Amino acid sequence: MKSSTRNPNPNPDTPRFGPSKLMVAFRFLRALTLVHRTAPNSSNAARSRRIQRAAFASMAYSAGPRRAWSRALLWRLHFHRARRLCAGRSRAAGVPRRPSTTRSPADELRRLVPGGTGMDYCSLLEETADYIRCLSEQVKLMQSVVDSGGPRGR
Amino acid sequence: MSGRGSRITDEEINELVSKLQSLLPESRRRNTGRVSASKLLKETCSYIKSLHREVDDLSDRLSGLMVTMDSNSPQAEIIRSLLRS
């Protein structure tokens, strides 16, 4: 695969996929086809959840272990997968939740960014920046798929 | 990445904060000057939440599309059109 640090894009309207974005794209599409093939008769909601998981999974796999947020996501995905395979619920009902008004903006951010809790402020900002970059790329990718997967003959 | 033992300077924090600010889309940047870190964090939180909602929404739409998709390698078509763009 060509490695290009610069991505010459004279026309900003046409999305260009560099090598790493292509990786995310292929991973995500492969996951999509798996969902399509293995759950043809499931409900829309179940399929949607699987697609959403596939989105976060392909994001995290492509970012790899170099980032705390991707490590946290990968761990979360495997953990939840293991939990689903074992019967029985582990989440206690009625777990008291702290009201959001007492949470500082930084703590709020820590809850939103995977792996953020317990992170020092500096690392949190760095991880957030990377997470936002990858998340918005994922959104663009999914939008492209929706746009190109529309009904034929449009 | 700053060293684990060294003290984080205000400058480094400001740098990271402005880097974060530059990642927010235009519509969310109140002014071109420096905003308070607290405001920026709140804006960042709300941006991340909106991105999560978009992933949710797009997942729903993809799920709906999947039903109507042709079972003869629709992924090839999608990959081709993505590579074309």
Side-chain angles (χ1 to χ4, degrees):
Chain A
M1 231 188 272
K2 267 189 295 174
S3 70
S4 49
T5 46
R6 271 167 292 136
N7 194 6
N9 196 359
N11 185 358
D13 289 335
T14 51
R16 291 282 288 271
F17 290 91
S20 61
K21 289 180 193 174
L22 214 51
M23 272 306 294
V24 187
F26 277 125
R27 260 191 233 278
F28 181 58
L29 292 170
R30 193 173 56 195
L32 276 188
T33 56
L34 199 68
V35 175
H36 181 50
R37 221 180 290 145
T38 59
N41 297 316
S42 57
S43 69
N44 213 47
R47 232 185 352 252
S48 171
R49 267 198 307 276
R50 288 187 64 180
I51 293 174
Q52 195 207 36
R53 266 199 298 274
F56 281 106
S58 52
M59 256 177 75
Y61 273 111
S62 303
R66 61 179 175 85
R67 281 290 172 188
W69 67 261
S70 51
R71 287 196 298 271
L73 264 185
L74 291 172
W75 186 88
R76 202 188 287 176
L77 290 163
H78 285 291
F79 177 66
H80 282 296
R81 188 165 171 269
R83 246 184 33 186
R84 263 181 289 124
L85 293 173
C86 313
R89 306 206 176 147
S90 47
R91 182 175 297 207
V95 173
R97 296 169 104 195
R98 273 180 295 150
S100 53
T101 46
T102 59
R103 228 178 272 138
S104 71
D107 284 337
E108 182 74 34
L109 190 59
R110 282 195 179 89
R111 293 180 83 251
L112 286 172
V113 176
T117 47
M119 211 181 259
D120 67 271
Y121 193 63
C122 226
S123 308
L124 178 67
L125 295 181
E126 282 198 39
E127 288 290 318
T128 303
D130 197 61
Y131 183 60
I132 287 181
R133 257 194 296 264
C134 294
L135 197 51
S136 53
E137 286 303 328
Q138 183 66 36
V139 165
K140 281 190 209 142
L141 170 65
M142 290 172 85
Q143 188 65 58
S144 311
V145 179
V146 167
D147 289 342
S148 61
R152 288 170 200 276
R154 64 185 154 99
Chain B
M1 187 94 171
S2 23
R4 260 169 257 141
S6 62
R7 185 171 304 172
I8 312 292
T9 63
D10 282 344
E11 224 175 273
E12 284 175 312
I13 299 235
N14 287 335
E15 242 179 79
L16 289 171
V17 167
S18 44
K19 181 164 87 162
L20 208 53
Q21 188 180 9
S22 67
L23 284 175
L24 298 181
E26 279 300 327
S27 52
R28 287 177 180 266
R29 281 184 241 174
R30 303 286 171 192
N31 50 11
T32 48
R34 289 208 344 235
V35 295
S36 77
S38 162
K39 264 209 164 68
L40 181 68
L41 287 181
K42 288 200 183 121
E43 202 55 60
T44 306
C45 286
S46 110
Y47 183 46
I48 292 182
K49 280 191 226 174
S50 83
L51 285 174
H52 284 167
R53 274 197 303 271
E54 275 197 75
V55 172
D56 263 342
D57 176 58
L58 288 166
S59 299
D60 278 340
R61 290 168 70 185
L62 281 172
S63 172
L65 279 175
M66 224 174 241
V67 194
T68 64
M69 267 198 316
D70 196 80
S71 43
N72 300 332
S73 74
Q75 64 275 22
E77 175 69 67
I78 294 170
I79 294 175
R80 255 181 269 127
S81 61
L82 276 174
L83 294 175
R84 247 184 271 134
S85 58

